[in-house]
Amino acid sequence: MVVAASASADPVPDPVRPNVVLILTDDQRYDSLFAMPNVRRLLGERGVTFDQAIASNSLCCPSRAAILTGGYSHTTKVWTNVYANWSPYGAWPAFHEAGDEEGTIALALHDAGYRTALFGKYLNEYPGGEAPPGWDRFAAFVNGQGGGYYDYDLFRQDEAGRRRVHYGAEPRDYSTNVLAGDAVSFLRSVDPGDPLFLYYAPFAPHSAIVPAPRDADTWAGHRQSLPPSFDEADVSDKPGYIRESGPLSETFARQKYELAYEALQAVDRAVGRIVATLRATDRLRNTLLVFLSDNGIAMGDHRWDYKLTPYEESIHVPLVIRYDPLTDARAGTRTDALVSNVDLAPTIAAVAGVPFAGVGRVDGTSLVPLLDGSARQVRDGLLLEHADYPGHYHVPSYCGLRTLGWTYVRYDGGVEELYDLTADPYELRNLAGDAAASRTLRRLRARTDSLCRPRPPELRWG
């Protein structure tokens, strides 16, 4: 466990059980919240924004498993987005077969009397047929990739029964809006005396990005600044998979940024609708609201245009939490505390006062001390993990360690990377071969070696 807890994670006392709303986007960069006014105004200005939130495994299914269970990939056994004979540790089948669905925060809340609902992306390759344990209402994508904007199927389970529903290509079928309507309907349907847990997980802004009709071209011509890491000129100190990547054009990157911002507008309006409904139903004051992404995405940074890597563009995610009983006195606060997606489930459990054991262990820690201001940090390091699997984007298996000042990574076969994030925030200079950084390298290598157990599949440490 990469946690150095600095304050108690005891449940928060509250005479009325708090509601929980978790809003999870798909492949959203940490530096994109400026494009979401409702998130900034309704959540950020009334809560805490986490500037150092990290996904321990920067891929959809491993991250979503971590969010639901509080466990790293080596705990959940979910390493990839694909399940096959060459990858028996990926997607929903791995999550299901490992028994992880019996250790989710949804089931813990449900067993404590909460009304629960998920609308949107569950895990890739979820087949439908029956909602997982712990969900009262469920409307989840059932195609292989895990979602879509148009021409998709949802498996629905609610008071009307179980059925698979197809949505076409009409404006009314735009998935972000369909799912937002489900979320609002659920909030209005729950008896005022019952606590609720809503998990709203739209597909946006996952590629291939399609904005809602009203948002198309609204960000065209936006003067997006490209970081120094874009189309990195000298990658001689980078691993082979980066050195083999070709250059990417500025036009490609800017178009991708614009489409992402446009797709996020519907999500931002959904946040506004959810908050307005909580207010109208007299629940807002007593609701823990969490907004984050499952992982980041590169837009040509280091010549890369996907996720999977241990670089900031992939692992760094937006995270904003509002819970008025704790954050009123600190409204609008930003913190550089190092936090992770594995921390969400234990945080929800602590606020709700619900016992939570995850899937036999919980690797995360409660963020309540950061929300109420009783602590400045809850950990001094975070494990990074990745398992390689066949596909268009090939990143060798690795383990690493992310601290407040450093990122260390060791790939299959022994290739290493080391970055001083204070002096080099864009990770342009790999210090793994620098004599001046040798002591830091040895220290982080030894710590990673001890924490990276069991190893990711296909990782040879030597």
Side-chain angles (χ1 to χ4, degrees):
M1 182 184 299
V2 193
V3 170
S6 57
S8 171
D10 292 337
V12 177
D14 198 315
V16 179
R17 289 180 294 177
N19 309 292
V20 180
V21 173
L22 173 60
I23 301 166
L24 182 66
T25 56
D26 199 335
D27 291 3
Q28 181 181 353
R29 287 176 64 102
Y30 70 93
D31 53 5
S32 62
L33 285 180
F34 77 94
M36 306 186 76
N38 282 329
V39 172
R40 290 186 288 107
R41 179 175 60 87
L42 299 174
L43 304 185
E45 292 180 8
R46 297 299 304 271
V48 176
T49 299
F50 293 83
D51 291 326
Q52 297 289 329
I54 303 297
S56 60
N57 187 332
S58 60
L59 189 61
C60 299
C61 289
S63 179
R64 289 165 191 269
I67 289 166
L68 285 169
T69 67
Y72 288 128
S73 291
H74 68 250
T75 297
T76 67
K77 310 306 180 188
V78 179
W79 290 97
T80 73
N81 282 351
V82 177
Y83 184 84
N85 58 1
W86 42 263
S87 177
Y89 38 78
W92 173 82
F95 192 65
H96 177 72
E97 291 180 10
D100 293 343
E101 289 176 313
E102 299 295 334
T104 69
I105 187 62
L107 183 57
L109 292 172
H110 184 271
D111 287 350
Y114 275 68
R115 296 282 292 169
T116 60
L118 179 148
F119 302 112
K121 186 170 180 176
Y122 183 44
L123 278 84
N124 294 27
E125 301 186 23
Y126 169 69
E130 185 175 1
W135 299 104
D136 293 307
R137 288 184 62 181
F138 199 74
F141 293 112
V142 291
N143 61 14
Q145 188 182 34
Y149 298 98
Y150 291 108
D151 193 24
Y152 58 92
D153 287 1
L154 292 177
F155 170 73
R156 291 188 171 277
Q157 181 170 311
D158 51 33
E159 292 83 354
R162 302 172 184 168
R163 65 247 183 241
R164 181 166 175 156
V165 182
H166 179 73
Y167 293 82
E170 298 298 320
R172 66 175 179 270
D173 296 318
Y174 190 69
S175 63
T176 303
N177 297 338
V178 169
L179 298 167
D182 285 330
V184 168
S185 175
F186 171 72
L187 293 175
R188 292 190 178 280
S189 72
V190 177
D191 187 284
D194 293 334
L196 61 83
F197 172 45
L198 167 64
Y199 181 8
Y200 171 62
F203 190 60
H206 192 289
S207 63
I209 306 173
V210 180
R214 65 181 283 186
D215 300 315
D217 298 324
T218 54
W219 284 76
H222 170 65
R223 297 300 300 169
Q224 176 68 41
S225 61
L226 300 178
S229 55
F230 175 78
D231 196 26
E232 188 173 348
D234 181 4
V235 293
S236 60
D237 62 346
K238 293 292 188 290
Y241 73 92
I242 293 293
R243 296 197 307 272
E244 295 164 4
S245 299
L248 296 168
S249 72
E250 291 190 11
T251 299
F252 164 84
R254 293 186 196 281
Q255 289 176 342
K256 199 168 181 180
Y257 276 109
E258 290 168 10
L259 286 171
Y261 299 151
E262 290 169 1
L264 286 170
Q265 299 314 297
V267 179
D268 195 54
R269 287 192 296 272
V271 172
R273 292 180 64 189
I274 288 170
V275 171
T277 305
L278 290 169
R279 182 180 290 112
T281 55
D282 199 28
R283 292 183 183 271
L284 181 58
R285 173 77 188 163
N286 194 40
T287 296
L288 173 70
L289 283 144
V290 180
F291 179 94
L292 79 157
S293 178
D294 55 358
N295 49 257
I297 195 81
M299 303 281 204
D301 312 270
H302 313 291
R303 303 186 185 181
W304 196 252
D305 67 339
Y306 195 56
K307 42 206 175 185
L308 303 178
T309 74
Y311 303 126
E312 288 296 292
E313 295 80 13
S314 291
I315 65 173
H316 200 161
V317 297
L319 173 61
V320 186
I321 300 179
R322 171 183 176 178
Y323 180 51
D324 290 0
L326 294 182
T327 61
D328 261 358
R330 309 184 68 241
T333 296
R334 306 187 75 97
T335 175
D336 66 355
L338 185 62
V339 301
S340 171
N341 52 353
V342 297
D343 298 331
L344 269 297
T347 300
I348 291 169
V351 169
V354 171
F356 182 65
V359 291
R361 60 176 288 171
V362 177
D363 297 311
T365 189
S366 170
L367 303 182
V368 166
L370 300 176
L371 295 175
D372 66 16
S374 61
R376 295 188 62 184
Q377 299 287 344
V378 292
R379 62 154 53 77
D380 58 5
L382 171 69
L383 184 66
L384 305 177
E385 303 175 293
H386 164 71
D388 188 23
Y389 65 107
H392 178 64
Y393 295 94
H394 171 70
V395 177
S397 296
Y398 63 76
C399 263
L401 189 70
R402 171 65 155 79
T403 72
L404 276 173
W406 295 87
T407 292
Y408 166 80
V409 184
R410 187 180 183 91
Y411 294 90
D412 176 48
V415 172
E416 294 178 306
E417 290 186 277
L418 178 67
Y419 296 99
D420 180 347
L421 300 178
T422 302
D424 180 23
Y426 296 102
E427 298 166 303
L428 300 176
R429 185 185 176 201
N430 181 6
L431 299 177
D434 191 315
S438 60
R439 177 177 293 184
T440 299
L441 179 71
R442 290 193 300 270
R443 174 174 58 84
L444 296 181
R445 179 195 293 146
R447 189 174 178 195
T448 303
D449 183 21
S450 67
L451 293 165
C452 181
R453 297 178 186 273
R455 311 281 198 214
E458 309 303 324
L459 174 60
R460 296 163 295 173
W461 189 261

